[in-house]
């Protein structure tokens, strides 16, 4: 667990089974976790660390988008979960997915899932029957503000090439923003790609938000300038539709 500010901590990502960063925001009244991890084991690593630091178990968990590595830990977390409506629609669809070798291979053939996730899911779950998908308890449309006591969080849905349900968790008092995978390309529809209008919109959104540090799900934290430079280079260099 890494302490970013007095009230914000995060557990770094791990590439072995594609575990994303998990965030922790401590208010005077409530605490909020960002993303629910990819499994029960991932959740327990996080909550064990929290309890060891003698900090309260999370009251809420905010979900940045529906992808398995950010959501499959939700069912083993005793916190009230919050996601945008679109994320819940995707999770609702995944509730009916069967977790057998055959069903997974079928989803690769139909394009419902991709090779990378399939490999990582099998690595995280040697016993596939342990996978439990759940929808979030609270859903919102575009924006939700939560007062944790002395600190607030703004959950905002922004345009992204990566997925159409991407939410950022912005903490204005600390000038920190958790951005999930929002700066990644779309990996789920053929060759990975960015969409010009969505990337432009995202760059403009980040320009207008006042933050010092951005926590992306699968890399080290960025400063605002580093993030904008990275996005602008991506915009000019990568193949974009
Ligand atoms: Zn993702």
């Amino acid at each position: 667990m890494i302490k970013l500010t007095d009230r914000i901590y995060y557990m770094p990502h791990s590439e072995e089974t594609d575990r994303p960063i998990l965030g922790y925001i401590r208010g005077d009244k409530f605490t909020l976790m960002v993303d629910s991890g990819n499994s029960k084991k991932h959740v327990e690593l996080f909550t064990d660390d929290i309890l060891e630091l003698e900090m309260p178990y999370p009251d809420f968990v905010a979900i940045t988008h529906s992808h398995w590595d950010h959501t499959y830990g939700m069912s083993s977390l005793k916190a009230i979960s919050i996601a945008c409506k679109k994320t819940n629609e995707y999770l609702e669809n995944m509730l009916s997915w069967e977790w057998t070798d055959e069903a997974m291979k079928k989803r690769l053939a139909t394009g419902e899932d991709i090779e990378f996730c399939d490999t990582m899911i099998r690595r995280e779950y040697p016993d596939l029957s342990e996978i439990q998908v759940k929808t979030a308890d609270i859903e919102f449309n575009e924006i939700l503000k939560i007062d944790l006591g002395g600190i607030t969080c703004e959950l905002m849905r922004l345009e992204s090439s990566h997925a159409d349900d991407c939410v950022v968790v912005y903490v204005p008092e600390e000038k920190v923003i958790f951005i999930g995978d929002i700066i990644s390309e779309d990996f789920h529809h053929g060759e990975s790609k960015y969409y010009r209008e969505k990337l432009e919109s995202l760059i403009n959104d980040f320009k207008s938000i006042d933050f010092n540090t951005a926590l992306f799900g699968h890399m080290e934290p960025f400063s605002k300038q580093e993030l904008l430079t990275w996005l602008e280079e991506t915009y000019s260099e990568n193949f974009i539709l």
Side-chain angles (χ1 to χ4, degrees):
M1 195 73 71
I2 293 173
K3 184 175 180 177
L4 190 67
T5 72
D6 277 349
R7 291 179 176 272
I8 301 181
Y9 293 72
Y10 70 96
M11 197 164 82
H13 70 290
S14 152
E15 285 175 12
E16 208 178 314
T17 55
D18 203 33
R19 289 176 172 174
I21 274 182
L22 300 178
Y24 182 82
I25 305 162
R26 184 177 187 178
D28 296 329
K29 284 189 289 185
F30 306 113
T31 57
L32 180 136
M33 179 175 173
V34 180
D35 276 331
S36 66
N38 69 358
S39 67
K40 187 173 185 237
K41 276 182 257 167
H42 192 197
V43 164
E44 283 172 356
L45 264 185
F46 179 85
T47 51
D48 285 354
D49 267 11
I50 291 291
L51 298 176
E52 212 165 279
L53 290 165
E54 298 184 344
M55 299 197 293
Y57 191 94
D59 296 296
F60 299 105
V61 58
I63 303 296
T64 61
H65 63 303
S66 73
H67 291 163
W68 80 279
D69 48 323
H70 300 257
T71 56
Y72 285 12
M74 213 194 316
S75 53
S76 26
L77 197 61
K78 293 184 237 25
I80 297 166
S81 46
I82 307 167
C84 77
K85 198 172 187 313
K86 193 79 197 166
T87 296
N88 251 1
E89 279 172 24
Y90 286 127
L91 290 170
E92 178 90 44
N93 179 50
M94 280 189 258
L95 290 178
S96 64
W97 284 13
E98 276 178 52
W99 295 101
T100 60
D101 179 56
E102 197 191 352
M104 286 174 77
K105 281 181 180 150
K106 212 170 169 185
R107 285 197 291 275
L108 288 183
T110 58
E112 277 180 285
D113 208 351
I114 57 170
E115 197 74 49
F116 179 74
C117 295
D118 186 89
T119 304
M120 290 296 165
I121 289 171
R122 289 174 192 270
R123 208 180 277 176
E124 178 69 30
Y125 291 92
D127 178 359
L128 292 167
S129 72
E130 284 175 9
I131 298 175
Q132 270 185 18
V133 182
K134 116 180 231 320
T135 53
D137 303 313
I138 296 175
E139 61 180 43
F140 66 96
N141 277 316
E142 298 298 325
I143 187 158
L144 181 74
K145 195 171 166 179
I146 306 172
D147 184 351
L148 301 174
I151 192 164
T152 57
C153 295
E154 290 171 26
L155 279 55
M156 296 181 272
R157 189 172 160 202
L158 304 181
E159 286 277 6
S160 163
S161 300
H162 185 63
D164 61 1
D165 64 330
C166 284
V167 166
V168 294
V169 179
Y170 175 48
V171 186
E173 294 86 353
E174 311 277 287
K175 298 195 179 188
V176 170
I177 189 165
F178 288 89
I179 61 174
D181 294 353
I182 203 162
I183 58 173
S184 295
E185 53 267 69
D186 177 3
F187 297 114
H188 289 257
H189 301 92
E191 217 172 323
S192 53
K193 55 191 163 297
Y194 286 98
Y195 304 105
R196 185 173 298 278
E197 278 173 26
K198 289 184 176 180
L199 191 51
E200 268 171 10
S201 158
L202 186 62
I203 291 171
N204 288 330
D205 285 337
F206 281 138
K207 279 184 180 163
S208 71
I209 301 171
D210 182 20
F211 64 95
N212 295 329
T213 309
L215 292 117
F216 167 55
H218 302 273
M219 276 167 91
E220 296 296 309
F222 285 95
S223 70
K224 181 169 181 173
Q225 196 47 56
E226 284 167 348
L227 182 72
L228 288 173
T229 304
W230 191 86
L231 284 171
E232 276 160 357
E233 280 173 5
T234 297
Y235 186 80
S236 57
E237 288 167 12
N238 282 47
F239 55 97
I240 293 178
L241 287 185

